[in-house]
Amino acid sequence: MSTAVCVQAAVREGVGPALQAALAAADAEVSTGCSPLATLPGVHFARWLTIPGDASLPGGAIVESLVYTADVDGSVAGHLRELDRRAGSLLDQLFGHCVGYPTSPSDRPQWLREHRVASAASYVNTVGLTVARIGAEARLSDWLQRRLDEQRTELLSLRAGEIHRRLRADLAANPAMAYALEPAADERWTARARRWTTLATAVLLVLVLLPLLIVVAIPWLLALRRLERSDPSSVERPDRARVERLRSREDAFAHNPFGALGVVKAGRLRASTVKIVLLGISVAASCVFIRGSLAGVTTIHVARWVPLDGGRRMIFTSCYDGSLESYMNDFIDKLSWGLNVIFSNGVGYPRTRWLIFGGAKDEQTFKDYLRCHQLETSVSYAAHPTLTMANIRANVAIRRGLSTPLDDARAAEWLALL
């Protein structure tokens, strides 16, 4: 299962132009296939973003910071070790512009651990799909398609079941591809047990505390509604030049990275609401929405919510298939209530009613809000930049269909995947 990693560090004063040049050079390395990020095992996605400072927030000014995020197979600690070992020069190149960055390479691991920021909630489209498995099944699909093209004339006269049998025989005769005849390894039982334990504990707690929750929820909702009525109407409109700059970095591959920064509205009620909502998202994303759909939205590879600056601000990052316009439309059409629950506690969000109504349903205002709060991804790496979630799911089904002989009807359905 993919694990979310986040490291944040304050940028030294006066190094802005040098940092931007270093980020541009690092991004160019990704584009040309020369980035050390490609040598790191188990990395699905990795990126660097700069988070602007803010001198106007209650609680003290916040300085500009540099954030590294990654979605990886394995543990956070293991990834940070490999990041230090294999990409130390890249860390020096980028985080070297940050406050307190060590001059000695031996001090890098400790610095990374000290600057790690925990995610409040994270989502993975489908559990069990490692970088290695996605790559292997993509290569398998390509191999099968080549075999079909090479033998097209001969195969046209055969029934679907016979074509499937021949392809299985070809795989068995190829030592490098014979593995595909065996089912992919299932998720470890320990991971399934942890997930079921978490879900059962959450449900049990809700049931036990239900009378108290009802008593607390009524005044909480009434107080929240009073705050909603006093929220100013959203007047944010994106700068056209900035939007064009953001668009220039979108749609380069089959999927896009996305990042947004929000300021949490002042007051304990809003802060408490954010924590409760993120706890619910964390349980739902890790225990319920684990098989390719986030409440009907199937195009998201990964997503995460990370509190920053003592909870005063929040970043949301994701990787999604298609354009940002289609991404926003998917959420508005299928999950507007979810957007409202999560983001309505952010300054500038379109007005909501009772937490779930309104908000994102004001389509253009919501889209303007999102563009205004969108972060530019300075460096973006993906292990499989040409694969959408639809491609990945199809490749999973192709592999699954090879593990046993199929009759003509089922073989025809399987061949349609190719």
Side-chain angles (χ1 to χ4, degrees), residues 7-65:
V7 176
Q8 181 191 24
V11 174
R12 296 199 315 273
E13 189 174 353
V15 301
L19 173 58
Q20 292 306 313
L23 289 166
D27 194 49
E29 289 182 342
V30 173
S31 300
T32 56
C34 301
S35 175
L37 293 172
T39 70
L40 298 174
V43 176
H44 293 261
F45 306 99
R47 71 182 79 172
W48 264 273
L49 312 96
T50 52
I51 310 295
D54 193 331
S56 65
L57 293 182
I62 298 170
V63 301
E64 181 184 19
S65 62

Side-chain angles (χ1 to χ4, degrees), residues 63-77:
V63 301
E64 181 184 19
S65 62
L66 180 64
V67 168
Y68 167 77
T69 69
D71 300 276
V72 304
D73 299 324
S75 68
V76 174

